[in-house]
Amino acid sequence: MKVNRYICLSLALLMMIAAVSCSADFGQNVYYGGISGIVKDKDSSNGVSGVKVYLYTSESERDAAFSIWEDNDGLFSDKDCLYKATTDSNGKWTVSKVVWMAKDGAWGSDYDHIPVYIIYFSEDYGCWKEEEKIELVSGTSNTNAIESKREKIKTTSKLTLNFRENNKAITDEITFTYSYNDGYSDIKKDVSTTNGQFVIDSLSYVKNDDGAVVTISNIMTTNGCWNTESLILDPNDSNISQENGVIKIKVNKASVTSEIKMDRTKYDLGENGISGRITASRKQVMEDTGNSVKNSLDSLVVKAEINGTTYSVLSGNGNYDSDTAASFSVDFSGLAVNEKVEKGAGATTVEIKIYSQDGTTELGSTTLDLDSHYESKNSVNIMVSWT
């Protein structure tokens, strides 16, 4: 009997607790309604897409969330907000259903209204709260209830980097890293160029008096022929500076161009190789009634020896004015030489020899001096003869 009494008392206690917990909602009506609005650019009045809209039914909750953002700055987000939307391509947004409870509606038990409070966020336009209190009426969609206009806080600049040797563009491949802070986070990219110029078309950042500071680091050339440790900057360019090989460029207007100069330390003989023209003597041409010399010119072997390594290439088809030309000649190019010559280290002499097609008979030779005067091409003329 005592057990049954305890069970009954326990059940009665649980029922009392449940009744107390439900008393707050007892006799209350549930209301709901939708709401929509639009966000526009203040200057153009065009709709702004991609704006995050956070809607609250409590002003204190809205203000608390906004205060947290003010203290920390940067990106805004509130995972606890129940009602969220994002503007479409026309700047419009919609929250289809907001739910609340009230014992007595403003217009009886069927209709009611409540104030709602909004925070907007966009990386391009920043974070702001709607100062105006908006009344949401139950049972309706409250279409275009609010229009918010905002000035863009981000701007976009163009940065052009020119890599030079004196006033000449460096066409060897250059790799480097550029980084900057756009006002929200750090942006970092590894890039390269092969024409001596790199352009950042859309450098987007939050507007400020100093603009964005772009850091250029890890500058390297893939062929190792340039001094990337001691970079030369334009002394008249107040926007560019360097420290320990790291360059900083202040970008504070629509378009900024900066120049970075490097000294060459080596000359890469493989950049264009060695080219030339092979010519038969006038006497041999005049005696070449069977065109044997002419035909042989199209299949000669060109060899160059550098530092104990032999490089070779076949001559190409010759260009002749006529069968009775005073001389026959044929061009060769692309004699790839995988060697580098130190700048200022004195001349490196290359001996170039011409052989018959089978490579057994030497028909002619010449020498070519490669030193600090080397630019982009080495060309020779070689006279050959048959015995």
Side-chain angles (χ1 to χ4, degrees), residues 72-342:
N72 297 281
D73 211 350
L75 303 174
F76 176 85
S77 181
D78 185 359
K79 60 182 178 58
D80 296 324
C81 179
L82 295 177
Y83 307 109
K84 305 172 187 177
T86 303
T87 59
D88 61 17
S89 58
N90 297 312
K92 295 182 179 180
W93 61 270
T94 298
V95 175
S96 59
K97 195 172 187 179
V98 178
V99 180
W100 71 96
M101 300 180 68
K103 185 175 182 179
D104 296 310
W107 301 290
S109 60
D110 294 331
Y111 295 99
D112 192 24
H113 65 90
I114 59 167
V116 292
Y117 309 89
I118 296 175
I119 293 177
Y120 302 95
F121 175 73
S122 161
E123 287 195 30
D124 288 337
Y125 289 82
C127 185
W128 72 102
K129 60 182 180 180
E130 185 60 61
E131 298 299 339
E132 181 182 347
K133 181 177 69 176
I134 307 148
E135 291 291 336
L136 190 155
V137 179
S138 65
T140 66
S141 59
N142 297 280
T143 304
N144 298 325
I146 186 69
E147 177 181 289
S148 183
K149 288 190 174 183
R150 179 76 169 178
E151 183 179 353
K152 200 170 187 178
I153 67 166
K154 260 191 168 185
T155 187
T156 299
S157 297
K158 176 182 178 181
L159 174 60
T160 302
L161 299 174
N162 291 320
F163 294 91
R164 303 281 188 188
E165 178 191 15
N166 296 320
N167 293 319
K168 179 183 176 183
I170 297 174
T171 56
D172 293 333
E173 183 178 24
I174 300 172
T175 63
F176 63 95
T177 301
Y178 77 83
S179 59
Y180 69 101
N181 188 286
D182 68 352
Y184 296 106
S185 59
D186 292 328
I187 309 297
K188 184 177 181 180
K189 294 186 178 181
D190 296 322
V191 295
S192 65
T193 177
T194 56
N195 65 359
Q197 185 178 86
F198 187 84
V199 179
I200 307 173
D201 282 313
S202 299
L203 193 72
S204 181
Y205 55 93
V206 175
K207 296 176 185 176
N208 63 84
D209 293 337
D210 295 327
V213 177
V214 180
T215 298
I216 309 296
S217 59
N218 303 323
I219 299 176
M220 292 184 291
T221 56
T222 55
N223 65 4
C225 288
W226 301 89
N227 183 358
T228 58
E229 299 296 326
S230 299
L231 304 169
I232 305 166
L233 308 182
D234 184 353
N236 298 317
D237 186 352
S238 60
N239 290 322
I240 188 169
S241 62
Q242 72 169 320
E243 184 176 352
N244 298 325
V246 175
I247 292 175
K248 292 186 177 181
I249 303 172
K250 183 188 293 185
V251 180
N252 54 7
K253 54 185 179 181
S255 182
V256 172
T257 299
S258 290
E259 188 172 86
I260 301 172
K261 290 185 178 181
M262 293 187 286
D263 279 333
R264 182 186 284 275
T265 58
K266 298 178 182 179
Y267 293 97
D268 188 352
L269 305 187
E271 288 178 350
N272 294 284
I274 299 173
S275 63
R277 173 159 290 184
I278 305 167
T279 304
S281 69
R282 177 181 177 85
K283 180 176 182 296
Q284 288 181 310
V285 170
M286 298 303 291
E287 295 174 354
D288 187 30
T289 56
N291 286 335
S292 60
V293 174
K294 175 182 174 183
N295 294 334
S296 297
L297 280 171
D298 289 341
S299 56
L300 299 180
V301 178
V302 183
K303 291 185 179 182
E305 184 173 328
I306 305 177
N307 297 330
T309 302
T310 301
Y311 303 91
S312 64
V313 68
L314 288 175
S315 62
N317 293 326
N319 296 312
Y320 311 110
D321 295 332
S322 69
D323 289 341
T324 59
S327 65
F328 297 151
S329 62
V330 63
D331 295 334
F332 70 91
S333 61
L335 180 55
V337 180
N338 186 27
E339 301 284 346
K340 294 181 176 65
V341 178
E342 294 286 343

